[in-house]
Each structure stands twice: as structure tokens, then as C-alpha cells.
Amino acid sequence: MKLKKILSAVLAVSMMAAVTGCGGSTDTTTTDQTGDTAQADDNSADDSADSDADADESEAENDSETEAAADGEEVRESDEDFSELYGTTDPINITIYSQLANYSGELTGWFAELMKQKYNVVMTIIPDSDGTFDTRMESGDLGDIVVFGSTGNQYQRAATSGMLFDWNEDDILSDYGPYVKAHMPYALENNANLNNSIGAGDVVYGFGHNVATSPEDHEAFFYTMDLRWDLYKELGYPEVNTIDDLYNLFVSMKEICPTDEAGNETYAVSMWPDWDGNMVMYVKAFATCYWGYDEMGFGLYDVETGKYHDALEPDGPYLKSLKFFNKLYQAGLIDPNSITQTYDKMSEKAQNGGIFFSIFDYAGSQLYNSEEHLSAGKAMYPMVPKDASPLCYGMNVMGGNRVWTIGANTEYPELCMAIINYLTTPEGYMTYWYGPKDVCWYYDENGNSCLTELGEQAYKDRKGTIMPAEWGGISFNEGTFQANNTTWSRDASNPDSNGETYNCDNWVSRRADTDYDILNDWRDRTGCYNAQEYLNTTNYKVSLATSYSESAKSDELEIIWEQVKNTIVTSSWNAIYAESDEEFDKIVADMTAKVKEYDPNGECLAWCENEAAIRCGLEDQVR
């Protein structure tokens, strides 16, 4: 296809100053996603917009463009359009390289069937692993659709090496991504500014995840501190004011529930190493969940003061969290298989009632709260200790740091753009979360969002719900779009609904959908209808959305960084499994000494502290 360079019509020069302090993130790889996201270790501190005045002015400037796109432009998404474009009637095979994926191979199930119907396309998912990115860079082909886990070094290498497709080339964005162009101008601009800042040029390569429709609210909590509420009830609802009270509660729970439904030993916590990054994911996430710090480099960032706490800081949040998990292990409350098992193995244990507590809703209540358990008076619900301050993230009209892009050497840029565009439309994003329209969800006569009986079943039991044969005939969970990245924030407004968001937990139609005794008990104790209402009553902290994006590291620093990372992660796991306090202290001391050997001049710490200063300066602009 003959390509021509076209200047971006999306990014108005007058908007650039207004949003230079907006957007941004820190690295960690959820998710969630998988149900939100299996998080990969690049959890973002997703970001808020600028001042209301600037936002209103920019929205006014884009009104005519937005209305034109909404009323007059359509996505070319029929089989015939793309068959004619590419001169074939055979299914088109596209590769999606996703650094957030937990799946490998050809996509199957309901989403795959939908893609065949809409686009005559077959998708193959390639997840990230050691060496995958470098191998694909060397081959000159990252993939057709490329999903980055962060805007850090690997994204920047791809952007500056000509490995990504400019969305303004051959009017691809205008012709095949009209919804993106009309409704995500800030997110597109944020990407363009990033590309300019790293020397990639005046180009748009994509947009970041979790885009918000309004900067005025925070996202839903996913650090929810889910607890086996039925066991808590059986123990008489003991006061949990401190982390020591939480520990004592776990001890008491094991006394009354030593085995799960499969006859296996129970534990307070079951972890998995799949998503470890610069630190052990579950350890740093507990510091985020309990004390409200956000991950940054080799440490944790205070979102209220801007102070950076190194992972090796004595009595700092990471080592305090690490010590807590070792205390649990010494009491027989940590699953001994945590260091070797996968997320899926942990999920099986959670579904069988093998854990008492989860930091994340997707690894706790979303797995355990099946119809069978709820009917039997068993459930996991949030219970936040009085002195805890769970973190949530400010909503960001500029998007986060997990980036949707298109590979520069794809044969099908139009098709890739159309698929990404579909995932940003209200129908596409509702389908991403809940399944095919009218099969799993619909809008009622008042415009309220509703789940069908099958949709409700799938939402409550993703793994146990089998989809109809015409929609793949496998479990809902297996049939999801396994690239594992979001477009809109789940708590963004859905313009096709009656003033509701994409998050079904807050839909009016579902407020009377349950009458379980255990749920009513939790509601009576907390005075709240659902988890989000409850968490909004806690002493939570908000990570403000800004335009922060991780700076590039030199090649020399990258080498040191990798050595330090491996040391911290390996030593942290060893410390969790220490048999005594003395052994724990020795492992931590050895870890600190080894890091000093690899980084005698403290280059990693200096880089992290500088990043914290940059981030804090941007946050100060929007406080």
C-alpha cells in the first residue's frame, strides 16, 4: 500500500499547553486485568486532566468534530469492506503482541467468534516473556496490534526505531478510527507529546489505557482487601484497627477453618510470581493497599507528599510489608507454593475457599463469590482495618501508560485501526467486559444498562459459565479478548446508557438482583450497598493523574537495573520464606549488600528519586 505522511488533525496546538500537566503513570504490570485486569507489573498511577476551564475550552473547540464523527462517520467494519480492501475472502490472520497477556496462541471462544463475524479476522496472541521484545525488534516485526505494558524503555525504543505505525498516515485514524479521534483527543495528544519528547517526531502511535470521560472523579477501587466475611461473622466481627489485629484475625480464621472445600490446607494469602517486576508484586501491592503508597521504580511513592521510599529503606513501606508476609509465613498462613505457582493455580485455591484474604477484588471476591457459595452463606467482601489507607487512582482523560499501538510493518493497518476503534465505542467496550450484545447485555426501555441471565451468570462466575455453541462453546473467561488491556476506564461514562458508567457494579438494574443472607449481613454491618460505596467511606488516598511518564534509562543503567531487580525479587521471596526473624534480617542485610555491589554509586536510587521529583512537580500543578 502506498503511504503518505499527513499532519495530525487531532492535536490542536492550542490544547498543548493546557494538558502538559495531565496524564501519566508509574510502572507495574495488573490487571487487571483478566477481569480487570490481570495486572502486569506496570500498575499505573493513571492521571487526571487539567483545570476545568482548560478542559471546557478544549471540549468546545472539538464539539463540531465530535458531533460530525458521532453523527456522520462510521467505522468500516464489515467483512466485505476489508475483503475488498485486501483482495481476499479468506479469514485474515493478525498477530497481537501484548506485554500484558497471560495467554498464548490463537484466540478462541466468544470474542474470537465476534471478530470473525465483524471483521473476518483470526487473532493470534503473543504474550511477553524474557527476550520476546528484543527478538521481535530484531525481526523487524513487533506484530499487527501491539500492546505495551508501559511507556518506559521498550515503548520508547520501538517508537524511536520506526517500529510503530503513525495513525495519521494515509488518514488511517480519520477513516478507520473516527470514534477514537472524536472522543479521545487528550489521550492522542498525550501520546504525541510523549513521542516528541523522546525524539520520535510529531507522530501519533496510539493511546494509553483507562481513558476517562471526566477528570473529576477517581476510578473504582481494586485494592479492596477482600476478606472471608462468613468466617469473620463466625468469629463475632472482632475489631480490626491495626495490621497486628489483621494478623490475629487470620490466626483465628485458620483455627476455625483449617481446610478448604477440596480438603487442602487453608492460608491467609496465596501469591504468585508471574507478575513480579522490580519488586515482588504482592509485597509492594500490599504497601499500596494498606498504606496508600504507589509503586515507582525500586520503591514506593507517597502520593500526598511526593516523598520517595526506596525498597531497601529500613522500616520503609516495602520492608515493612515484606516483614508482614514473613510473619504470616512463620505462622503457617502463607501458601508455601506461592513462589512457584501461576495465577491460575492460585485462582483454583481461591475458588475452593483456600484463602482468607486478597488484596485485589479480581483475586478474591470475583473468584470466590459464586452462586453456590453465596447461597450457602459464604462470601468474600471488603473489610479495611481502621488505620489502613487503600490507594485508588484519579481518572485521566489522557489515558494511562499501557499503550494500544499498531506495528509499523503490518499488512492490515486499516483493520487494526478499526478493531481498536470498535473497542472504544460504547458497544465495543460493553462487549469487552460483558460479552456479546443482546446475548449477555442490553439497554432497557429507559436506557439503563442490564445484564441478561447469561450475562449475570458470566459476571458472577467467569470460569464456570459456558457460552452457547455459536459463541465458542467454552467458558466465558477462556473466550475473552486475551490481549488484556482496556480502552476506557471502567468507571467512565457510557454515552449510550442513561447516565451510567461501564461498571456494572453500579447499575440501577442490578441493585435488586441479589438477596443473599451473607450479603445482607455485610450491608447491615457496613451500612453500604456495595464494595465501592464502602471503600469510599475509608481513609483512602488518591494518586493524582498527571502527564508523568517514565524517563528513559541509559544502556549502562539498564544493565545495573536488571541486576538490582533480580536481586530484590529473589531475595524478597527468600525473606518471605525465612524460618525465623534472625534469618529474615540476614537475608535483608545480604540483599542490601548485594545491591550495593551491583550499584556502588547509587545510580538506581538517584534515577528513582529524580523521577519522583518530576512526578511530584506535575502533581503540584493539579492539586
Side-chain angles (χ1 to χ4, degrees):
M1 180 178 67
K2 183 178 179 180
L3 301 178
K4 59 181 184 293
K5 291 287 183 184
I6 300 176
L7 293 176
S8 170
V10 179
L11 308 175
V13 174
S14 62
M15 292 168 59
M16 295 183 107
V19 290
T20 49
C22 310
S25 50
T26 59
D27 283 352
T28 312
T29 310
T30 162
T31 9
D32 204 70
Q33 359 225 353
T34 64
D36 214 38
T37 19
Q39 307 284 346
D41 184 281
D42 281 330
N43 257 338
S44 58
D46 296 339
D47 326 306
S48 82
D50 224 66
S51 68
D52 290 341
D54 287 334
D56 289 343
E57 178 182 347
S58 297
E59 287 170 10
E61 291 171 356
N62 284 279
D63 275 349
S64 60
E65 180 182 3
T66 301
E67 290 172 8
D71 296 337
E73 295 186 74
E74 295 182 358
V75 185
R76 296 171 182 156
E77 58 186 23
S78 70
D79 298 348
E80 291 76 19
D81 282 342
F82 288 106
S83 295
E84 180 180 344
L85 181 65
Y86 301 126
T88 179
T89 57
D90 295 329
I92 299 167
N93 294 285
I94 69 169
T95 296
I96 300 176
Y97 166 49
S98 174
Q99 296 185 337
L100 300 168
N102 296 309
Y103 177 95
S104 179
E106 183 177 317
L107 194 66
T108 60
W110 63 264
F111 191 83
E113 292 297 324
L114 180 71
M115 290 294 98
K116 289 176 185 176
Q117 293 175 22
K118 292 185 72 65
Y119 301 110
N120 194 30
V121 70
V122 175
M123 295 177 168
T124 297
I125 307 292
I126 297 177
D128 202 30
S129 60
D130 289 343
T132 301
F133 176 77
D134 289 329
T135 299
R136 300 192 72 80
M137 284 285 287
E138 289 170 7
S139 74
D141 185 8
L142 285 175
D144 296 302
I145 293 176
V146 184
V147 178
F148 288 89
S150 80
T151 53
N153 179 263
Q154 292 186 347
Y155 171 82
Q156 294 178 25
R157 283 175 57 193
T160 56
S161 300
M163 295 293 287
L164 302 177
F165 191 93
D166 181 1
W167 286 12
N168 290 311
E169 195 156 322
D170 267 16
D171 288 328
I172 294 295
L173 180 63
S174 297
D175 291 345
Y176 295 92
Y179 200 89
V180 176
K181 181 177 180 180
H183 295 87
M184 292 183 168
Y186 293 105
L188 293 167
E189 179 181 5
N190 189 42
N191 181 260
N193 288 340
L194 170 62
N195 296 332
N196 256 322
S197 72
I198 62 176
D202 184 19
V203 291
V204 175
Y205 287 138
F207 63 87
H209 78 309
N210 276 13
V211 179
T213 47
S214 168
E216 298 177 357
D217 203 0
H218 63 74
E219 293 183 350
F221 294 85
F222 62 90
Y223 296 108
T224 52
M225 290 193 170
D226 287 354
L227 185 79
R228 275 290 297 278
W229 189 262
D230 52 306
L231 301 180
Y232 184 59
K233 175 184 177 183
E234 185 177 341
L235 290 167
Y237 314 104
E239 284 283 326
V240 182
N241 296 314
T242 67
I243 195 169
D244 291 331
D245 293 339
L246 187 63
Y247 167 83
N248 292 330
L249 177 61
F250 293 155
V251 172
S252 298
M253 285 184 167
K254 182 141 187 178
E255 290 174 353
I256 64 172
C257 185
T259 58
D260 67 11
E261 295 160 17
N264 298 313
E265 186 174 355
T266 55
Y267 303 99
V269 172
S270 183
M271 299 177 284
W272 62 99
D274 306 34
W275 304 343
D276 290 347
N278 295 324
M279 300 168 281
V280 170
M281 184 278 290
Y282 215 92
V283 175
K284 67 88 186 169
F286 184 81
T288 300
C289 178
Y290 202 97
W291 298 295
Y293 295 101
D294 200 16
E295 179 190 9
M296 173 170 269
F298 289 127
L300 292 143
Y301 175 85
D302 189 322
V303 299
E304 294 185 337
T305 68
K307 182 177 180 180
Y308 178 77
H309 296 273
D310 183 56
L312 303 181
E313 177 186 316
D315 202 36
Y318 185 75
L319 289 185
K320 282 172 64 177
S321 180
L322 189 64
K323 181 59 185 174
F324 178 68
F325 283 100
N326 175 244
K327 183 178 180 180
L328 293 178
Y329 174 76
Q330 291 188 44
L333 292 167
I334 291 286
D335 180 358
N337 294 318
S338 293
I339 194 172
T340 57
Q341 70 184 355
T342 63
Y343 172 81
D344 287 340
K345 280 294 182 184
M346 180 284 303
S347 298
E348 293 175 10
K349 296 175 182 179
Q351 288 174 310
N352 288 331
I355 63 172
F356 306 141
F357 175 81
S358 173
I359 293 172
F360 311 105
D361 56 359
Y362 64 80
S365 56
Q366 290 184 18
L367 293 172
Y368 185 71
N369 291 359
S370 64
E371 180 76 23
E372 179 182 0
H373 285 146
L374 293 169
S375 297
K378 300 177 180 180
M380 294 187 78
Y381 294 124
M383 198 287 295
V384 178
K386 292 291 192 298
D387 70 342
S389 300
L391 188 73
C392 61
Y393 295 98
M395 293 181 71
N396 179 17
V397 294
M398 296 174 66
N401 68 340
R402 303 173 190 170
V403 191
W404 292 95
T405 69
I406 296 172
N409 294 317
T410 179
E411 296 179 40
Y412 314 110
E414 300 91 349
L415 175 58
C416 293
M417 189 72 256
I419 291 171
I420 294 172
N421 188 81
Y422 172 72
L423 291 169
T424 70
T425 64
E427 178 179 331
Y429 203 50
M430 286 283 285
T431 297
Y432 172 88
W433 281 110
Y434 307 114
K437 184 179 181 182
D438 297 325
V439 177
C440 293
W441 62 273
Y442 63 97
Y443 300 114
D444 67 15
E445 63 276 8
N446 296 315
N448 295 316
S449 305
C450 305
L451 293 177
T452 66
E453 184 177 347
L454 177 62
E456 187 70 39
Q457 179 185 350
Y459 182 71
K460 291 177 179 176
D461 187 6
R462 294 168 62 91
K463 291 188 174 182
T465 300
I466 305 301
M467 294 294 283
E470 61 269 27
W471 289 103
I474 60 176
S475 77
F476 181 90
N477 195 62
E478 290 176 282
T480 57
F481 182 37
Q482 302 283 358
N484 198 26
N485 196 25
T486 57
T487 54
W488 295 105
S489 165
R490 198 176 179 190
D491 295 288
S493 298
N494 174 1
D496 283 1
S497 72
N498 185 18
E500 295 185 308
T501 70
Y502 293 107
N503 192 339
C504 73
D505 288 340
N506 302 315
W507 293 351
V508 171
S509 66
R510 300 186 71 242
R511 286 239 157 179
D513 69 331
T514 56
D515 190 27
Y516 303 110
D517 290 343
I518 189 67
L519 175 57
N520 289 332
D521 183 78
W522 179 84
R523 286 173 174 167
D524 289 344
R525 293 289 302 184
T526 62
C528 298
Y529 181 81
N530 59 26
Q532 296 303 314
E533 284 188 10
Y534 168 70
L535 289 160
N536 269 313
T537 69
T538 67
N539 187 33
Y540 66 87
K541 297 181 181 180
V542 178
S543 178
L544 296 175
T546 72
S547 61
Y548 170 75
S549 180
E550 180 183 293
S551 304
K553 305 180 186 75
S554 67
D555 292 342
E556 294 78 9
L557 181 57
E558 284 285 357
I559 294 171
I560 297 172
W561 192 275
E562 192 68 19
Q563 293 170 323
V564 170
K565 179 181 77 171
N566 291 337
T567 299
I568 291 176
V569 171
T570 301
S571 298
S572 293
W573 277 110
N574 291 338
I576 290 172
Y577 286 94
E579 298 292 343
S580 66
D581 292 346
E582 292 76 17
E583 183 183 356
F584 176 89
D585 291 340
K586 184 178 185 308
I587 292 171
V588 170
D590 290 345
M591 171 172 62
T592 303
K594 194 170 183 180
V595 167
K596 182 68 174 176
E597 289 178 15
Y598 286 129
D599 188 14
N601 298 319
E603 294 179 52
C604 291
L605 177 59
W607 186 90
C608 293
E609 289 177 335
N610 184 63
E611 292 297 296
I614 294 171
R615 176 176 171 178
C616 184
L618 293 170
E619 289 173 348
D620 286 344
Q621 297 177 23
V622 297
R623 290 187 194 279

